[in-house]
PDB file of all heavy atoms in Angstrom:
ATOM      1  N   PRO L   1      -8.748  95.781 -88.325  1.00  0.00           N
ATOM      2  CA  PRO L   1      -9.422  96.849 -87.571  1.00  0.00           C
ATOM      3  C   PRO L   1      -8.658  97.254 -86.316  1.00  0.00           C
ATOM      4  O   PRO L   1      -8.603  98.434 -85.973  1.00  0.00           O
ATOM      5  CB  PRO L   1     -10.774  96.216 -87.208  1.00  0.00           C
ATOM      6  CG  PRO L   1     -10.970  95.127 -88.215  1.00  0.00           C
ATOM      7  CD  PRO L   1      -9.605  94.586 -88.470  1.00  0.00           C
ATOM      8  N   LYS L   2      -8.074  96.279 -85.627  1.00  0.00           N
ATOM      9  CA  LYS L   2      -7.317  96.588 -84.420  1.00  0.00           C
ATOM     10  C   LYS L   2      -6.078  97.406 -84.763  1.00  0.00           C
ATOM     11  O   LYS L   2      -5.723  98.345 -84.041  1.00  0.00           O
ATOM     12  CB  LYS L   2      -6.926  95.298 -83.703  1.00  0.00           C
ATOM     13  CG  LYS L   2      -8.116  94.504 -83.183  1.00  0.00           C
ATOM     14  CD  LYS L   2      -7.664  93.218 -82.509  1.00  0.00           C
ATOM     15  CE  LYS L   2      -8.856  92.406 -82.026  1.00  0.00           C
ATOM     16  NZ  LYS L   2      -8.430  91.134 -81.389  1.00  0.00           N
ATOM     17  N   ALA L   3      -5.408  97.033 -85.838  1.00  0.00           N
ATOM     18  CA  ALA L   3      -4.217  97.773 -86.249  1.00  0.00           C
ATOM     19  C   ALA L   3      -4.574  99.199 -86.630  1.00  0.00           C
ATOM     20  O   ALA L   3      -3.844 100.148 -86.316  1.00  0.00           O
ATOM     21  CB  ALA L   3      -3.546  97.066 -87.419  1.00  0.00           C
ATOM     22  N   HIS L   4      -5.732  99.349 -87.294  1.00  0.00           N
ATOM     23  CA  HIS L   4      -6.174 100.682 -87.694  1.00  0.00           C
ATOM     24  C   HIS L   4      -6.490 101.531 -86.462  1.00  0.00           C
ATOM     25  O   HIS L   4      -6.129 102.719 -86.397  1.00  0.00           O
ATOM     26  CB  HIS L   4      -7.411 100.582 -88.578  1.00  0.00           C
ATOM     27  CG  HIS L   4      -7.841 101.881 -89.178  1.00  0.00           C
ATOM     28  ND1 HIS L   4      -7.005 102.635 -89.977  1.00  0.00           N
ATOM     29  CD2 HIS L   4      -9.014 102.566 -89.089  1.00  0.00           C
ATOM     30  CE1 HIS L   4      -7.645 103.732 -90.353  1.00  0.00           C
ATOM     31  NE2 HIS L   4      -8.863 103.713 -89.821  1.00  0.00           N
ATOM     32  N   ALA L   5      -7.135 100.924 -85.482  1.00  0.00           N
ATOM     33  CA  ALA L   5      -7.455 101.651 -84.251  1.00  0.00           C
ATOM     34  C   ALA L   5      -6.183 102.039 -83.503  1.00  0.00           C
ATOM     35  O   ALA L   5      -6.083 103.145 -82.954  1.00  0.00           O
ATOM     36  CB  ALA L   5      -8.354 100.791 -83.357  1.00  0.00           C
ATOM     37  N   ALA L   6      -5.219 101.134 -83.478  1.00  0.00           N
ATOM     38  CA  ALA L   6      -3.952 101.433 -82.806  1.00  0.00           C
ATOM     39  C   ALA L   6      -3.221 102.569 -83.512  1.00  0.00           C
ATOM     40  O   ALA L   6      -2.602 103.427 -82.870  1.00  0.00           O
ATOM     41  CB  ALA L   6      -3.074 100.185 -82.765  1.00  0.00           C
ATOM     42  N   HIS L   7      -3.305 102.563 -84.840  1.00  0.00           N
ATOM     43  CA  HIS L   7      -2.676 103.633 -85.615  1.00  0.00           C
ATOM     44  C   HIS L   7      -3.322 104.982 -85.298  1.00  0.00           C
ATOM     45  O   HIS L   7      -2.621 105.992 -85.122  1.00  0.00           O
ATOM     46  CB  HIS L   7      -2.791 103.333 -87.107  1.00  0.00           C
ATOM     47  CG  HIS L   7      -2.257 104.429 -87.979  1.00  0.00           C
ATOM     48  ND1 HIS L   7      -0.910 104.656 -88.137  1.00  0.00           N
ATOM     49  CD2 HIS L   7      -2.895 105.370 -88.726  1.00  0.00           C
ATOM     50  CE1 HIS L   7      -0.740 105.689 -88.944  1.00  0.00           C
ATOM     51  NE2 HIS L   7      -1.924 106.138 -89.314  1.00  0.00           N
ATOM     52  N   ARG L   8      -4.645 104.995 -85.214  1.00  0.00           N
ATOM     53  CA  ARG L   8      -5.344 106.242 -84.877  1.00  0.00           C
ATOM     54  C   ARG L   8      -4.966 106.717 -83.485  1.00  0.00           C
ATOM     55  O   ARG L   8      -4.761 107.911 -83.256  1.00  0.00           O
ATOM     56  CB  ARG L   8      -6.861 106.037 -84.956  1.00  0.00           C
ATOM     57  CG  ARG L   8      -7.407 105.908 -86.367  1.00  0.00           C
ATOM     58  CD  ARG L   8      -8.912 106.202 -86.393  1.00  0.00           C
ATOM     59  NE  ARG L   8      -9.625 105.398 -85.427  1.00  0.00           N
ATOM     60  CZ  ARG L   8     -10.129 104.201 -85.667  1.00  0.00           C
ATOM     61  NH1 ARG L   8      -9.988 103.655 -86.871  1.00  0.00           N
ATOM     62  NH2 ARG L   8     -10.781 103.537 -84.732  1.00  0.00           N
ATOM     63  N   ALA L   9      -4.872 105.779 -82.546  1.00  0.00           N
ATOM     64  CA  ALA L   9      -4.511 106.149 -81.179  1.00  0.00           C
ATOM     65  C   ALA L   9      -3.100 106.722 -81.118  1.00  0.00           C
ATOM     66  O   ALA L   9      -2.841 107.715 -80.433  1.00  0.00           O
ATOM     67  CB  ALA L   9      -4.631 104.933 -80.259  1.00  0.00           C
ATOM     68  N   ALA L  10      -2.180 106.088 -81.852  1.00  0.00           N
ATOM     69  CA  ALA L  10      -0.796 106.580 -81.875  1.00  0.00           C
ATOM     70  C   ALA L  10      -0.718 107.964 -82.503  1.00  0.00           C
ATOM     71  O   ALA L  10       0.011 108.841 -82.029  1.00  0.00           O
ATOM     72  CB  ALA L  10       0.092 105.598 -82.635  1.00  0.00           C
ATOM     73  N   ALA L  11      -1.496 108.159 -83.578  1.00  0.00           N
ATOM     74  CA  ALA L  11      -1.519 109.468 -84.232  1.00  0.00           C
ATOM     75  C   ALA L  11      -2.089 110.526 -83.298  1.00  0.00           C
ATOM     76  O   ALA L  11      -1.614 111.675 -83.275  1.00  0.00           O
ATOM     77  CB  ALA L  11      -2.341 109.395 -85.516  1.00  0.00           C
ATOM     78  N   GLY L  12      -3.093 110.150 -82.517  1.00  0.00           N
ATOM     79  CA  GLY L  12      -3.668 111.086 -81.552  1.00  0.00           C
ATOM     80  C   GLY L  12      -2.670 111.477 -80.473  1.00  0.00           C
ATOM     81  O   GLY L  12      -2.578 112.647 -80.098  1.00  0.00           O
ATOM     82  N   ARG L  13      -1.923 110.488 -79.980  1.00  0.00           N
ATOM     83  CA  ARG L  13      -0.912 110.784 -78.955  1.00  0.00           C
ATOM     84  C   ARG L  13       0.176 111.678 -79.527  1.00  0.00           C
ATOM     85  O   ARG L  13       0.650 112.605 -78.861  1.00  0.00           O
ATOM     86  CB  ARG L  13      -0.301 109.489 -78.421  1.00  0.00           C
ATOM     87  CG  ARG L  13      -1.252 108.665 -77.548  1.00  0.00           C
ATOM     88  CD  ARG L  13      -0.500 107.593 -76.795  1.00  0.00           C
ATOM     89  NE  ARG L  13       0.124 106.641 -77.693  1.00  0.00           N
ATOM     90  CZ  ARG L  13      -0.462 105.538 -78.130  1.00  0.00           C
ATOM     91  NH1 ARG L  13      -1.704 105.256 -77.772  1.00  0.00           N
ATOM     92  NH2 ARG L  13       0.177 104.708 -78.934  1.00  0.00           N
ATOM     93  N   PHE L  14       0.570 111.404 -80.771  1.00  0.00           N
ATOM     94  CA  PHE L  14       1.600 112.227 -81.408  1.00  0.00           C
ATOM     95  C   PHE L  14       1.116 113.669 -81.538  1.00  0.00           C
ATOM     96  O   PHE L  14       1.857 114.620 -81.247  1.00  0.00           O
ATOM     97  CB  PHE L  14       1.942 111.655 -82.787  1.00  0.00           C
ATOM     98  CG  PHE L  14       2.979 112.445 -83.526  1.00  0.00           C
ATOM     99  CD1 PHE L  14       4.316 112.304 -83.217  1.00  0.00           C
ATOM    100  CD2 PHE L  14       2.617 113.331 -84.531  1.00  0.00           C
ATOM    101  CE1 PHE L  14       5.287 113.036 -83.901  1.00  0.00           C
ATOM    102  CE2 PHE L  14       3.572 114.065 -85.210  1.00  0.00           C
ATOM    103  CZ  PHE L  14       4.911 113.919 -84.889  1.00  0.00           C
ATOM    104  N   ALA L  15      -0.127 113.850 -81.974  1.00  0.00           N
ATOM    105  CA  ALA L  15      -0.680 115.199 -82.125  1.00  0.00           C
ATOM    106  C   ALA L  15      -0.710 115.918 -80.783  1.00  0.00           C
ATOM    107  O   ALA L  15      -0.392 117.111 -80.698  1.00  0.00           O
ATOM    108  CB  ALA L  15      -2.086 115.117 -82.721  1.00  0.00           C
ATOM    109  N   THR L  16      -1.075 115.198 -79.728  1.00  0.00           N
ATOM    110  CA  THR L  16      -1.123 115.802 -78.396  1.00  0.00           C
ATOM    111  C   THR L  16       0.255 116.259 -77.943  1.00  0.00           C
ATOM    112  O   THR L  16       0.397 117.307 -77.306  1.00  0.00           O
ATOM    113  CB  THR L  16      -1.697 114.792 -77.383  1.00  0.00           C
ATOM    114  OG1 THR L  16      -3.022 114.427 -77.788  1.00  0.00           O
ATOM    115  CG2 THR L  16      -1.749 115.386 -75.988  1.00  0.00           C
ATOM    116  N   ASN L  17       1.294 115.484 -78.269  1.00  0.00           N
ATOM    117  CA  ASN L  17       2.657 115.842 -77.870  1.00  0.00           C
ATOM    118  C   ASN L  17       3.201 117.023 -78.663  1.00  0.00           C
ATOM    119  O   ASN L  17       3.980 117.825 -78.139  1.00  0.00           O
ATOM    120  CB  ASN L  17       3.580 114.635 -78.046  1.00  0.00           C
ATOM    121  CG  ASN L  17       3.279 113.529 -77.060  1.00  0.00           C
ATOM    122  OD1 ASN L  17       2.753 113.786 -75.979  1.00  0.00           O
ATOM    123  ND2 ASN L  17       3.600 112.296 -77.418  1.00  0.00           N
ATOM    124  N   ILE L  18       2.819 117.123 -79.939  1.00  0.00           N
ATOM    125  CA  ILE L  18       3.362 118.177 -80.791  1.00  0.00           C
ATOM    126  C   ILE L  18       2.599 119.490 -80.625  1.00  0.00           C
ATOM    127  O   ILE L  18       3.157 120.580 -80.818  1.00  0.00           O
ATOM    128  CB  ILE L  18       3.313 117.743 -82.275  1.00  0.00           C
ATOM    129  CG1 ILE L  18       4.202 116.516 -82.484  1.00  0.00           C
ATOM    130  CG2 ILE L  18       3.766 118.860 -83.206  1.00  0.00           C
ATOM    131  CD1 ILE L  18       5.673 116.753 -82.194  1.00  0.00           C
ATOM    132  N   LEU L  19       1.333 119.410 -80.230  1.00  0.00           N
ATOM    133  CA  LEU L  19       0.499 120.613 -80.157  1.00  0.00           C
ATOM    134  C   LEU L  19       1.097 121.712 -79.272  1.00  0.00           C
ATOM    135  O   LEU L  19       1.060 122.889 -79.667  1.00  0.00           O
ATOM    136  CB  LEU L  19      -0.904 120.241 -79.670  1.00  0.00           C
ATOM    137  CG  LEU L  19      -1.946 121.374 -79.757  1.00  0.00           C
ATOM    138  CD1 LEU L  19      -2.111 121.847 -81.204  1.00  0.00           C
ATOM    139  CD2 LEU L  19      -3.286 120.901 -79.211  1.00  0.00           C
ATOM    140  N   PRO L  20       1.666 121.393 -78.069  1.00  0.00           N
ATOM    141  CA  PRO L  20       2.256 122.478 -77.270  1.00  0.00           C
ATOM    142  C   PRO L  20       3.382 123.208 -77.986  1.00  0.00           C
ATOM    143  O   PRO L  20       3.564 124.417 -77.814  1.00  0.00           O
ATOM    144  CB  PRO L  20       2.760 121.746 -76.017  1.00  0.00           C
ATOM    145  CG  PRO L  20       1.931 120.519 -75.933  1.00  0.00           C
ATOM    146  CD  PRO L  20       1.679 120.111 -77.352  1.00  0.00           C
ATOM    147  N   ILE L  21       4.151 122.474 -78.791  1.00  0.00           N
ATOM    148  CA  ILE L  21       5.238 123.111 -79.541  1.00  0.00           C
ATOM    149  C   ILE L  21       4.662 124.056 -80.583  1.00  0.00           C
ATOM    150  O   ILE L  21       5.150 125.179 -80.776  1.00  0.00           O
ATOM    151  CB  ILE L  21       6.123 122.035 -80.202  1.00  0.00           C
ATOM    152  CG1 ILE L  21       6.650 121.045 -79.155  1.00  0.00           C
ATOM    153  CG2 ILE L  21       7.281 122.690 -80.947  1.00  0.00           C
ATOM    154  CD1 ILE L  21       7.424 119.888 -79.740  1.00  0.00           C
ATOM    155  N   ILE L  22       3.595 123.620 -81.260  1.00  0.00           N
ATOM    156  CA  ILE L  22       2.952 124.479 -82.264  1.00  0.00           C
ATOM    157  C   ILE L  22       2.360 125.724 -81.610  1.00  0.00           C
ATOM    158  O   ILE L  22       2.474 126.831 -82.144  1.00  0.00           O
ATOM    159  CB  ILE L  22       1.871 123.686 -83.027  1.00  0.00           C
ATOM    160  CG1 ILE L  22       2.524 122.615 -83.900  1.00  0.00           C
ATOM    161  CG2 ILE L  22       1.020 124.619 -83.882  1.00  0.00           C
ATOM    162  CD1 ILE L  22       1.549 121.771 -84.685  1.00  0.00           C
ATOM    163  N   ARG L  23       1.750 125.571 -80.436  1.00  0.00           N
ATOM    164  CA  ARG L  23       1.176 126.725 -79.739  1.00  0.00           C
ATOM    165  C   ARG L  23       2.272 127.718 -79.363  1.00  0.00           C
ATOM    166  O   ARG L  23       2.069 128.939 -79.426  1.00  0.00           O
ATOM    167  CB  ARG L  23       0.436 126.278 -78.475  1.00  0.00           C
ATOM    168  CG  ARG L  23      -0.783 125.392 -78.727  1.00  0.00           C
ATOM    169  CD  ARG L  23      -1.755 126.011 -79.700  1.00  0.00           C
ATOM    170  NE  ARG L  23      -2.966 125.219 -79.875  1.00  0.00           N
ATOM    171  CZ  ARG L  23      -3.674 125.182 -80.962  1.00  0.00           C
ATOM    172  NH1 ARG L  23      -3.295 125.897 -82.016  1.00  0.00           N
ATOM    173  NH2 ARG L  23      -4.764 124.441 -81.052  1.00  0.00           N
ATOM    174  N   GLU L  24       3.414 127.193 -78.983  1.00  0.00           N
ATOM    175  CA  GLU L  24       4.541 128.074 -78.651  1.00  0.00           C
ATOM    176  C   GLU L  24       5.001 128.842 -79.892  1.00  0.00           C
ATOM    177  O   GLU L  24       5.294 130.040 -79.833  1.00  0.00           O
ATOM    178  CB  GLU L  24       5.697 127.244 -78.085  1.00  0.00           C
ATOM    179  CG  GLU L  24       6.915 128.081 -77.701  1.00  0.00           C
ATOM    180  CD  GLU L  24       8.082 127.209 -77.266  1.00  0.00           C
ATOM    181  OE1 GLU L  24       7.862 126.027 -76.955  1.00  0.00           O
ATOM    182  OE2 GLU L  24       9.209 127.718 -77.259  1.00  0.00           O
ATOM    183  N   ILE L  25       5.060 128.159 -81.024  1.00  0.00           N
ATOM    184  CA  ILE L  25       5.450 128.803 -82.279  1.00  0.00           C
ATOM    185  C   ILE L  25       4.437 129.879 -82.656  1.00  0.00           C
ATOM    186  O   ILE L  25       4.805 130.988 -83.073  1.00  0.00           O
ATOM    187  CB  ILE L  25       5.565 127.748 -83.396  1.00  0.00           C
ATOM    188  CG1 ILE L  25       6.756 126.813 -83.121  1.00  0.00           C
ATOM    189  CG2 ILE L  25       5.725 128.410 -84.769  1.00  0.00           C
ATOM    190  CD1 ILE L  25       6.802 125.608 -84.028  1.00  0.00           C
ATOM    191  N   GLN L  26       3.160 129.565 -82.502  1.00  0.00           N
ATOM    192  CA  GLN L  26       2.108 130.533 -82.823  1.00  0.00           C
ATOM    193  C   GLN L  26       2.184 131.757 -81.919  1.00  0.00           C
ATOM    194  O   GLN L  26       1.979 132.886 -82.372  1.00  0.00           O
ATOM    195  CB  GLN L  26       0.732 129.869 -82.705  1.00  0.00           C
ATOM    196  CG  GLN L  26       0.461 128.834 -83.786  1.00  0.00           C
ATOM    197  CD  GLN L  26      -0.845 128.076 -83.540  1.00  0.00           C
ATOM    198  OE1 GLN L  26      -1.202 127.789 -82.391  1.00  0.00           O
ATOM    199  NE2 GLN L  26      -1.561 127.748 -84.605  1.00  0.00           N
ATOM    200  N   SER L  27       2.485 131.532 -80.646  1.00  0.00           N
ATOM    201  CA  SER L  27       2.566 132.656 -79.713  1.00  0.00           C
ATOM    202  C   SER L  27       3.738 133.578 -80.043  1.00  0.00           C
ATOM    203  O   SER L  27       3.749 134.739 -79.642  1.00  0.00           O
ATOM    204  CB  SER L  27       2.696 132.145 -78.279  1.00  0.00           C
ATOM    205  OG  SER L  27       3.920 131.478 -78.081  1.00  0.00           O
ATOM    206  N   ALA L  28       4.729 133.040 -80.767  1.00  0.00           N
ATOM    207  CA  ALA L  28       5.874 133.852 -81.179  1.00  0.00           C
ATOM    208  C   ALA L  28       5.576 134.646 -82.454  1.00  0.00           C
ATOM    209  O   ALA L  28       6.450 135.350 -82.967  1.00  0.00           O
ATOM    210  CB  ALA L  28       7.100 132.964 -81.386  1.00  0.00           C
ATOM    211  N   GLY L  29       4.356 134.517 -82.989  1.00  0.00           N
ATOM    212  CA  GLY L  29       3.949 135.313 -84.142  1.00  0.00           C
ATOM    213  C   GLY L  29       3.966 134.588 -85.469  1.00  0.00           C
ATOM    214  O   GLY L  29       3.631 135.166 -86.496  1.00  0.00           O
ATOM    215  N   ARG L  30       4.358 133.312 -85.467  1.00  0.00           N
ATOM    216  CA  ARG L  30       4.369 132.537 -86.711  1.00  0.00           C
ATOM    217  C   ARG L  30       3.097 131.698 -86.744  1.00  0.00           C
ATOM    218  O   ARG L  30       3.043 130.630 -86.155  1.00  0.00           O
ATOM    219  CB  ARG L  30       5.628 131.681 -86.773  1.00  0.00           C
ATOM    220  CG  ARG L  30       6.899 132.499 -87.009  1.00  0.00           C
ATOM    221  CD  ARG L  30       8.161 131.693 -86.836  1.00  0.00           C
ATOM    222  NE  ARG L  30       8.467 131.479 -85.428  1.00  0.00           N
ATOM    223  CZ  ARG L  30       9.586 130.909 -84.987  1.00  0.00           C
ATOM    224  NH1 ARG L  30      10.490 130.485 -85.845  1.00  0.00           N
ATOM    225  NH2 ARG L  30       9.795 130.758 -83.694  1.00  0.00           N
ATOM    226  N   THR L  31       2.092 132.214 -87.438  1.00  0.00           N
ATOM    227  CA  THR L  31       0.757 131.612 -87.343  1.00  0.00           C
ATOM    228  C   THR L  31       0.296 130.885 -88.591  1.00  0.00           C
ATOM    229  O   THR L  31      -0.627 130.071 -88.528  1.00  0.00           O
ATOM    230  CB  THR L  31      -0.274 132.704 -86.999  1.00  0.00           C
ATOM    231  OG1 THR L  31      -0.211 133.736 -87.998  1.00  0.00           O
ATOM    232  CG2 THR L  31       0.024 133.322 -85.638  1.00  0.00           C
ATOM    233  N   SER L  32       0.886 131.173 -89.752  1.00  0.00           N
ATOM    234  CA  SER L  32       0.437 130.483 -90.955  1.00  0.00           C
ATOM    235  C   SER L  32       0.944 129.042 -90.950  1.00  0.00           C
ATOM    236  O   SER L  32       1.922 128.712 -90.279  1.00  0.00           O
ATOM    237  CB  SER L  32       0.955 131.202 -92.207  1.00  0.00           C
ATOM    238  OG  SER L  32       2.342 130.998 -92.374  1.00  0.00           O
ATOM    239  N   LEU L  33       0.267 128.181 -91.708  1.00  0.00           N
ATOM    240  CA  LEU L  33       0.674 126.771 -91.772  1.00  0.00           C
ATOM    241  C   LEU L  33       2.099 126.639 -92.291  1.00  0.00           C
ATOM    242  O   LEU L  33       2.878 125.819 -91.792  1.00  0.00           O
ATOM    243  CB  LEU L  33      -0.298 126.002 -92.676  1.00  0.00           C
ATOM    244  CG  LEU L  33      -1.746 125.898 -92.181  1.00  0.00           C
ATOM    245  CD1 LEU L  33      -2.609 125.213 -93.223  1.00  0.00           C
ATOM    246  CD2 LEU L  33      -1.819 125.150 -90.856  1.00  0.00           C
ATOM    247  N   ARG L  34       2.441 127.449 -93.281  1.00  0.00           N
ATOM    248  CA  ARG L  34       3.786 127.380 -93.845  1.00  0.00           C
ATOM    249  C   ARG L  34       4.835 127.809 -92.824  1.00  0.00           C
ATOM    250  O   ARG L  34       5.899 127.194 -92.694  1.00  0.00           O
ATOM    251  CB  ARG L  34       3.878 128.268 -95.087  1.00  0.00           C
ATOM    252  CG  ARG L  34       5.245 128.232 -95.769  1.00  0.00           C
ATOM    253  CD  ARG L  34       5.262 129.087 -97.025  1.00  0.00           C
ATOM    254  NE  ARG L  34       4.304 128.577 -98.012  1.00  0.00           N
ATOM    255  CZ  ARG L  34       4.110 129.157 -99.194  1.00  0.00           C
ATOM    256  NH1 ARG L  34       4.772 130.258 -99.519  1.00  0.00           N
ATOM    257  NH2 ARG L  34       3.242 128.636-100.038  1.00  0.00           N
ATOM    258  N   GLU L  35       4.541 128.869 -92.064  1.00  0.00           N
ATOM    259  CA  GLU L  35       5.483 129.344 -91.046  1.00  0.00           C
ATOM    260  C   GLU L  35       5.650 128.324 -89.924  1.00  0.00           C
ATOM    261  O   GLU L  35       6.765 128.098 -89.437  1.00  0.00           O
ATOM    262  CB  GLU L  35       4.995 130.675 -90.475  1.00  0.00           C
ATOM    263  CG  GLU L  35       5.111 131.853 -91.427  1.00  0.00           C
ATOM    264  CD  GLU L  35       4.467 133.112 -90.871  1.00  0.00           C
ATOM    265  OE1 GLU L  35       3.507 132.996 -90.077  1.00  0.00           O
ATOM    266  OE2 GLU L  35       4.915 134.207 -91.249  1.00  0.00           O
ATOM    267  N   ILE L  36       4.558 127.707 -89.531  1.00  0.00           N
ATOM    268  CA  ILE L  36       4.632 126.689 -88.479  1.00  0.00           C
ATOM    269  C   ILE L  36       5.459 125.504 -88.951  1.00  0.00           C
ATOM    270  O   ILE L  36       6.302 124.976 -88.211  1.00  0.00           O
ATOM    271  CB  ILE L  36       3.220 126.242 -88.070  1.00  0.00           C
ATOM    272  CG1 ILE L  36       2.470 127.398 -87.404  1.00  0.00           C
ATOM    273  CG2 ILE L  36       3.286 125.040 -87.121  1.00  0.00           C
ATOM    274  CD1 ILE L  36       1.001 127.125 -87.174  1.00  0.00           C
ATOM    275  N   ALA L  37       5.219 125.062 -90.195  1.00  0.00           N
ATOM    276  CA  ALA L  37       5.986 123.937 -90.744  1.00  0.00           C
ATOM    277  C   ALA L  37       7.469 124.266 -90.778  1.00  0.00           C
ATOM    278  O   ALA L  37       8.316 123.433 -90.406  1.00  0.00           O
ATOM    279  CB  ALA L  37       5.477 123.599 -92.146  1.00  0.00           C
ATOM    280  N   ALA L  38       7.818 125.486 -91.207  1.00  0.00           N
ATOM    281  CA  ALA L  38       9.223 125.884 -91.286  1.00  0.00           C
ATOM    282  C   ALA L  38       9.856 125.896 -89.897  1.00  0.00           C
ATOM    283  O   ALA L  38      11.022 125.476 -89.721  1.00  0.00           O
ATOM    284  CB  ALA L  38       9.344 127.259 -91.942  1.00  0.00           C
ATOM    285  N   ALA L  39       9.114 126.381 -88.898  1.00  0.00           N
ATOM    286  CA  ALA L  39       9.643 126.437 -87.540  1.00  0.00           C
ATOM    287  C   ALA L  39       9.854 125.034 -86.969  1.00  0.00           C
ATOM    288  O   ALA L  39      10.856 124.770 -86.293  1.00  0.00           O
ATOM    289  CB  ALA L  39       8.688 127.232 -86.642  1.00  0.00           C
ATOM    290  N   LEU L  40       8.922 124.119 -87.227  1.00  0.00           N
ATOM    291  CA  LEU L  40       9.081 122.736 -86.758  1.00  0.00           C
ATOM    292  C   LEU L  40      10.299 122.088 -87.396  1.00  0.00           C
ATOM    293  O   LEU L  40      11.083 121.403 -86.723  1.00  0.00           O
ATOM    294  CB  LEU L  40       7.820 121.932 -87.089  1.00  0.00           C
ATOM    295  CG  LEU L  40       6.569 122.249 -86.261  1.00  0.00           C
ATOM    296  CD1 LEU L  40       5.351 121.560 -86.847  1.00  0.00           C
ATOM    297  CD2 LEU L  40       6.756 121.840 -84.810  1.00  0.00           C
ATOM    298  N   ASN L  41      10.474 122.297 -88.695  1.00  0.00           N
ATOM    299  CA  ASN L  41      11.636 121.723 -89.381  1.00  0.00           C
ATOM    300  C   ASN L  41      12.933 122.314 -88.852  1.00  0.00           C
ATOM    301  O   ASN L  41      13.940 121.611 -88.704  1.00  0.00           O
ATOM    302  CB  ASN L  41      11.525 121.961 -90.887  1.00  0.00           C
ATOM    303  CG  ASN L  41      10.403 121.156 -91.516  1.00  0.00           C
ATOM    304  OD1 ASN L  41      10.066 120.078 -91.051  1.00  0.00           O
ATOM    305  ND2 ASN L  41       9.810 121.671 -92.583  1.00  0.00           N
ATOM    306  N   ALA L  42      12.923 123.624 -88.562  1.00  0.00           N
ATOM    307  CA  ALA L  42      14.120 124.279 -88.051  1.00  0.00           C
ATOM    308  C   ALA L  42      14.513 123.732 -86.679  1.00  0.00           C
ATOM    309  O   ALA L  42      15.694 123.647 -86.349  1.00  0.00           O
ATOM    310  CB  ALA L  42      13.898 125.793 -87.965  1.00  0.00           C
ATOM    311  N   ARG L  43      13.519 123.330 -85.904  1.00  0.00           N
ATOM    312  CA  ARG L  43      13.788 122.777 -84.576  1.00  0.00           C
ATOM    313  C   ARG L  43      14.163 121.301 -84.614  1.00  0.00           C
ATOM    314  O   ARG L  43      14.475 120.712 -83.589  1.00  0.00           O
ATOM    315  CB  ARG L  43      12.560 122.954 -83.673  1.00  0.00           C
ATOM    316  CG  ARG L  43      12.255 124.415 -83.349  1.00  0.00           C
ATOM    317  CD  ARG L  43      11.098 124.529 -82.380  1.00  0.00           C
ATOM    318  NE  ARG L  43      10.813 125.905 -82.049  1.00  0.00           N
ATOM    319  CZ  ARG L  43      10.019 126.273 -81.053  1.00  0.00           C
ATOM    320  NH1 ARG L  43       9.428 125.351 -80.312  1.00  0.00           N
ATOM    321  NH2 ARG L  43       9.799 127.555 -80.805  1.00  0.00           N
ATOM    322  N   GLY L  44      14.093 120.702 -85.775  1.00  0.00           N
ATOM    323  CA  GLY L  44      14.425 119.287 -85.887  1.00  0.00           C
ATOM    324  C   GLY L  44      13.295 118.365 -85.497  1.00  0.00           C
ATOM    325  O   GLY L  44      13.497 117.158 -85.323  1.00  0.00           O
ATOM    326  N   VAL L  45      12.086 118.909 -85.354  1.00  0.00           N
ATOM    327  CA  VAL L  45      10.923 118.074 -85.034  1.00  0.00           C
ATOM    328  C   VAL L  45      10.456 117.385 -86.305  1.00  0.00           C
ATOM    329  O   VAL L  45      10.291 118.018 -87.343  1.00  0.00           O
ATOM    330  CB  VAL L  45       9.776 118.933 -84.458  1.00  0.00           C
ATOM    331  CG1 VAL L  45       8.579 118.058 -84.114  1.00  0.00           C
ATOM    332  CG2 VAL L  45      10.254 119.690 -83.222  1.00  0.00           C
TER     333      VAL L  45
END
């Protein structure tokens, strides 16, 4: 249970760190999930 909780916490921190990058991509006009994924891959994230 502790390992599972730690995993959830780490995943939450990761999402928080990546979200600003996704918002920046969305503001540039790439709003679909596929477009966002392509932009993240292009940036090396």
Side-chain angles (χ1 to χ4, degrees):
K2 296 179 182 179
H4 187 58
H7 176 74
R8 288 200 307 270
R13 289 194 297 270
F14 179 79
T16 300
N17 291 334
I18 297 298
L19 189 60
I21 304 175
I22 292 180
R23 296 307 184 210
E24 180 185 343
I25 292 170
Q26 291 173 324
S27 66
R30 289 170 283 187
T31 57
S32 73
L33 295 175
R34 182 178 298 179
E35 289 173 331
I36 294 170
L40 288 170
N41 291 330
R43 293 184 179 192
V45 181

